[in-house]
């Protein structure tokens, strides 16, 4: 598999991309880690440094459904029935998204693949275009740090902005106040 293996927690170059004459070799990065591990904090910095987009499967699924594409309509049908979108369909959505102009130089997959089967499907997808994962960044964070990060997290539903009672409090939470719906208000609205 192109996803490779190695020292946990370290960024690794995991494959030499195959290139033909005149081919553009894309940077394909997998950003992996647990919820609260820092992917959402690190990804924008990687986007700025590498000049390639971050691709989140959840965002891609919602965009594919909204676009009304054939794959998006298939995903919508499964989601409307309360089912989990099959790995093959998710991989198809990724393949469709990575054909966009902003992915010409490469892309960062945020939280995908999560399983061995998804990794195999990703490898197959990339092999079809004679590409491979070029880098893997696996974030490892102690459980007690994850617990503190996740339990202090608040998300403003309508905007998606995220706050944290300790690390990124909204202006409405004065020091010493107990976090609540009244004290954890969105800074923008």
């Amino acid at each position: 598999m192109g996803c490779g293996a190695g020292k946990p927690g370290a960024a690794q170059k995991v494959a030499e991309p195959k290139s033909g004459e005149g081919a553009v070799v894309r940077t394909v990065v997998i950003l992996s880690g647990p919820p609260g591990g820092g992917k959402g904090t690190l990804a924008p910095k990687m986007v700025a440094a590498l000049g390639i987009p971050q691709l989140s499967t959840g965002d891609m699924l919602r965009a594919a459904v909204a676009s009304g594409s054939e794959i998006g309509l298939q995903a919508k049908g499964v989601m409307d029935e309360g089912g989990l979108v099959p790995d093959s369909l998710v991989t198809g959505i990724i393949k469709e998204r990575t054909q966009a102009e902003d992915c010409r130089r490469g892309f960062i997959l945020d939280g995908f693949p999560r399983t061995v089967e998804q990794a195999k499907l990703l490898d197959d997808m990339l092999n079809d275009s004679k590409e491979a994962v070029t880098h893997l960044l696996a974030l490892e964070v102690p459980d007690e740090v994850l617990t503190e990060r996740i339990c202090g997290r608040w998300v403003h539903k309508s905007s998606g902005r995220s706050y944290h009672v300790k690390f990124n409090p909204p202006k409405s939470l004065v020091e010493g106040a107990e976090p609540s719906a009244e004290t954890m208000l969105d800074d923008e609205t």
Side-chain angles (χ1 to χ4, degrees):
M1 260 188 320
C3 291
K7 193 170 168 184
Q12 300 178 40
K13 188 168 186 174
V14 295
E16 282 300 322
K18 304 162 190 100
S19 62
E21 193 174 310
V24 174
V25 177
R26 296 197 295 179
T27 300
V28 180
V29 179
I30 294 176
L31 180 56
S32 177
K39 296 183 303 291
T41 300
L42 184 58
K45 295 174 184 176
M46 293 174 66
V47 167
L50 299 173
I52 58 176
Q54 167 196 4
L55 306 181
S56 156
T57 52
D59 293 344
M60 286 185 286
L61 280 168
R62 286 184 288 280
V65 168
S67 76
S69 71
E70 183 179 334
I71 290 176
L73 293 174
Q74 290 175 29
K76 182 179 181 348
V78 173
M79 291 187 297
D80 286 350
E81 293 175 7
L84 292 175
V85 178
D87 291 342
S88 59
L89 200 53
V90 172
T91 306
I93 288 171
I94 292 170
K95 183 174 185 172
E96 186 177 88
R97 173 62 182 89
T98 60
Q99 303 308 304
E101 177 61 26
D102 65 333
C103 293
R104 181 180 48 80
R105 294 182 53 237
F107 51 91
I108 301 163
L109 288 171
D110 177 353
F112 184 92
R114 293 182 191 270
T115 66
V116 172
E117 183 59 31
Q118 289 177 348
K120 289 177 182 177
L121 289 168
L122 177 62
D123 278 345
D124 290 345
M125 180 197 94
L126 292 169
N127 284 333
D128 288 346
S129 56
K130 298 183 176 27
E131 296 179 288
V133 172
T134 57
H135 298 83
L136 167 64
L137 182 60
L139 304 178
E140 293 185 351
V141 182
D143 289 346
E144 59 275 6
V145 173
L146 294 173
T147 301
E148 180 181 31
R149 288 179 180 176
I150 292 169
C151 291
R153 192 181 275 177
W154 288 63
V155 177
H156 182 251
K157 286 183 183 180
S158 59
S159 70
R161 279 185 287 279
S162 145
Y163 297 97
H164 192 280
V165 296
K166 180 177 178 182
F167 305 119
N168 183 32
K171 295 172 188 164
S172 59
L173 181 65
V174 295
E175 192 171 331
E178 194 67 29
S180 69
E182 292 76 34
T183 61
M184 294 292 290
L185 303 175
D186 183 49
D187 287 347
E188 305 290 321
T189 57

